[in-house]
Every structure is written in C-alpha cells, then in structure tokens.
Amino acid sequence: MATPVLELRNLVTAFDTRLGQVRAVDGVSLTLEAGRTLGIVGESGSGKSMLSLSIMGLVPPPGRVREGQVLLEGVDLRTQSERQMRSIRGNRIAMVFQEPMTSLNPVHTVGFQIMEAVRAHHHLPASELKTMAIESLRKVRISAPERRFSEYPHQLSGGMRQRVMIAMALACKPTVLIADEPTTALDVTIQAQILSLLRDLQQDTGMAIILITHDLGVVAQCADDVAVMYAGKVVESGSAAAIFEDSQHPYTLGLMASLPRMDVDVERLLTISGTVPPPFNYPAGCRYNPRCLFATDQCRHDPPVLESLGDSHRASCWNMPLEQHV
C-alpha cells in the first residue's frame, strides 16, 4: 500500500458551549493517497465541512481540534504554529469553498485575487504573478483569460466563478485539494464540466483530492474511495466499488436507496425519516438508531465501532451482515 499523502488519526473537533463540550467531529480516521480522490458524503449536519476546516486549521472559535493528528506527508499539522500554517494553506494544501460568490472579494478583480494567493507564498515580480494568474485561468478552461483577468466576480457566471476559485486554489500547485461542495447551485451541464475539469487537473498534477458532497451521483462519477459520515462520525468507508456495490451500514443503504437509477424501475424512492441530530443532542448508543429500520436494544445503548469487512472496507453496525435482518 502506498504511503498516504494525508492521514487523519482519531480527529476530534469540539466546541465549548453552555451545554458542555459539543463534538462536531468525533474520532475520524481516514487516509488519502496521492493521485486519488476521497469522497466524503452525508446529509447536512453530518460534520463534512467541519472536518475540512479541521484539516485546514480554520475551525471557528470557540471550537478547536481537541484530539488526534492531521498528518500531511508525515508532518502533523497540529504541531505547526499559525505562521507555519499560513505557509502551508494555499501552498501545500488548498481548499475550494462552497459558495464562490461569498469567497471572492467583490471589490477586487479575479486576476488580482489570484495574484495575491500566489504572492502569499512566492515573492515574484508583478509581471510574473500576472502571467501565472492568466495561465491559471487558462488551465481551468476560462475563455479569453487575459480579459477575464481584469473582470470582477459579479461579471462572471456561477460556473466561471467556481473555475476562478479552482484556479486560485491550484495556483501554487498544492499536494492536496479539498473541494467542499464544488458543484452546489450549478446546473447539471456546468456541474459535469467542473467535475471533468477536476479529474483532468488531477491527472496532470498528481494531486490528491478530498471531494465533500451530499450528491452520491458526483461521488460515483469521481471518487476512488468513499467515507460516509453521520453525526460527526465515519460510519462506513472503503473503495467506491465496495461502498456502492456492497454497502453494509443502514445509513449508507438508505442513501443508496434514495438515489434515482436508470437500470431499476422504482415507483417511489426511499426516504430516510427524521433528521441528523444536532451535536449537543446525540442519542445514546449508535447515533443513527432513532432513524434506523434495523435498530435493536443493543443499538440504543452501545456505540458500535468500525469493523473491517475485508481490504479497506469498514463499517460500524451491530447488525452486519444486514441481509439476515431483512
């Protein structure tokens, strides 16, 4: 097995509140190899975006990473000072945030913003920075990059703004790219173009990608490996083939059953009743048990642990294999 470029070991991110310590990310362990894409899926509130902020060291106060390690090429980012982290963010590990319109500064041109992203890590003349920025726009397939360089975010479409964010993230050739819901609010045609762009850029650069999404169709199209998160925990992980063809956790099965398919004639798609519990009100035992069709008394009292199901496939459920309960 190749050495992972990024490894999370028992990562815990918590917030101190009037109700006590609230764990938004609770004991997450994952690995990511160079040139591969890890898809992280789950409903809103499952902890996906907070996990990405924990990796980047950008957890908003009063939250902070309390336990675990974030190893980037063997270096624990939790041991780095804020000054050291500023040299790492955007340089060795970069992030494309959910909403480009709020991530881009409306009073500066997109070219200036890309130049500033590069200037933070490389002391180069303005002419070279401009050349690099235009080349970055060209790499993400923005037409007439020389003209777009001087335009403001409001002059661009949603798909073009997302391309600008990707260009900014890749300007310093990072080892790891975190894409947090990169296709949200884009129509399906533009979504397909963005995903194709990410795949092509990955092949050209060999970077590793963490793709955070609630869209299983996006994961099926792009991810090599998948981690399913629920209520701050990873409940199932493995290769994309294992997750899509041999799901074992009831939550994963529920997500799969709610996905429209062209090869199956279904009159009505499955819906999962209830919602993800808030971090300050996690149920006892398995956190999915109030919504689970297979829950038993053991599920309501004892938290399950991730068990190996062969190769890299792992799941946390007391009732595996589920076939015997159906």
Side-chain angles (χ1 to χ4, degrees):
M1 183 177 177
T3 302
V5 66
L6 181 68
E7 185 175 6
L8 309 183
R9 295 180 180 175
N10 194 36
L11 195 65
V12 175
T13 300
F15 292 76
D16 289 324
T17 72
R18 292 177 299 166
L19 300 174
Q21 189 181 97
V22 172
R23 293 191 171 198
V25 176
D26 194 0
V28 171
S29 296
L30 294 170
T31 59
L32 176 64
E33 298 175 12
R36 293 180 69 84
T37 298
L38 170 64
I40 300 180
V41 300
E43 297 168 273
S44 296
S46 60
K48 306 185 303 297
S49 293
M50 190 55 63
L51 179 64
S52 68
L53 295 175
S54 301
I55 295 171
M56 297 290 289
L58 294 174
V59 178
R64 64 185 179 92
V65 178
R66 302 300 178 100
E67 300 175 23
Q69 294 178 300
V70 181
L71 301 173
L72 178 64
E73 298 180 312
V75 177
D76 187 0
L77 299 186
R78 290 196 62 209
T79 66
Q80 305 297 293
S81 66
E82 180 55 32
R83 181 176 181 180
Q84 290 171 316
M85 284 301 299
R86 283 197 296 269
S87 70
I88 292 172
R89 295 190 202 105
N91 190 23
R92 295 172 59 197
I93 181 168
M95 186 167 177
V96 178
F97 293 91
Q98 278 194 37
E99 179 46 62
M101 197 59 195
T102 57
S103 299
L104 292 170
N105 191 325
V107 302
H108 291 298
T109 64
V110 297
F112 174 83
Q113 293 181 64
I114 296 174
M115 287 174 59
E116 286 298 288
V118 178
R119 196 196 311 271
H121 303 287
H122 302 284
H123 301 292
L124 299 172
S127 58
E128 289 189 38
L129 290 173
K130 181 176 181 179
T131 300
M132 290 180 67
I134 292 174
E135 183 59 28
S136 294
L137 292 173
R138 183 175 286 111
K139 283 182 178 179
V140 297
R141 303 173 190 165
I142 286 183
S143 60
E146 292 82 1
R147 177 164 60 88
R148 301 298 184 189
F149 174 89
S150 301
E151 293 185 342
Y152 291 86
H154 72 272
Q155 296 177 278
L156 306 179
S157 67
M160 291 183 70
R161 287 195 294 266
Q162 192 64 280
R163 289 171 188 264
V164 170
M165 289 297 298
I166 295 172
M168 190 182 305
L170 298 182
C172 292
K173 300 179 175 61
T175 305
V176 177
L177 175 69
I178 301 175
D180 188 1
E181 302 279 6
T183 57
T184 296
L186 300 179
D187 65 57
V188 291
T189 302
I190 303 301
Q191 172 179 298
Q193 293 175 2
I194 295 296
L195 296 176
S196 175
L197 171 63
L198 287 174
R199 282 199 306 273
D200 292 345
L201 291 171
Q202 184 180 47
Q203 291 176 358
D204 292 341
T205 64
M207 66 180 173
I209 297 177
I210 294 178
L211 180 62
I212 298 173
T213 181
H214 62 272
D215 190 333
L216 287 171
V218 170
V219 172
Q221 185 177 347
C222 298
D224 301 298
D225 305 289
V226 180
V228 182
M229 286 192 70
Y230 185 82
K233 286 183 173 290
V234 172
V235 296
E236 187 165 6
S237 64
S239 67
I243 298 299
F244 279 90
E245 297 171 12
D246 189 29
S247 304
Q248 287 298 312
H249 195 280
Y251 181 58
T252 312
L253 287 171
L255 293 177
M256 295 298 175
S258 66
L259 183 67
R261 292 176 56 175
M262 298 294 293
D263 59 336
V264 178
D265 185 14
V266 178
E267 185 174 334
R268 187 173 182 176
L269 294 173
L270 175 75
T271 58
I272 304 175
S273 62
T275 58
V276 180
F280 56 82
N281 194 30
Y282 289 144
C286 174
R287 294 176 180 176
Y288 185 60
N289 84 77
R291 308 173 69 189
C292 183
L293 299 175
F294 309 100
T296 64
D297 285 342
Q298 184 179 24
C299 302
R300 298 182 184 95
H301 295 94
D302 302 328
V305 296
L306 282 170
E307 295 183 11
S308 175
L309 304 174
D311 295 329
S312 61
H313 192 184
R314 300 185 302 163
S316 59
C317 179
W318 292 119
N319 296 317
M320 295 184 295
L322 289 175
E323 289 82 356
Q324 64 187 3
H325 299 274
V326 177

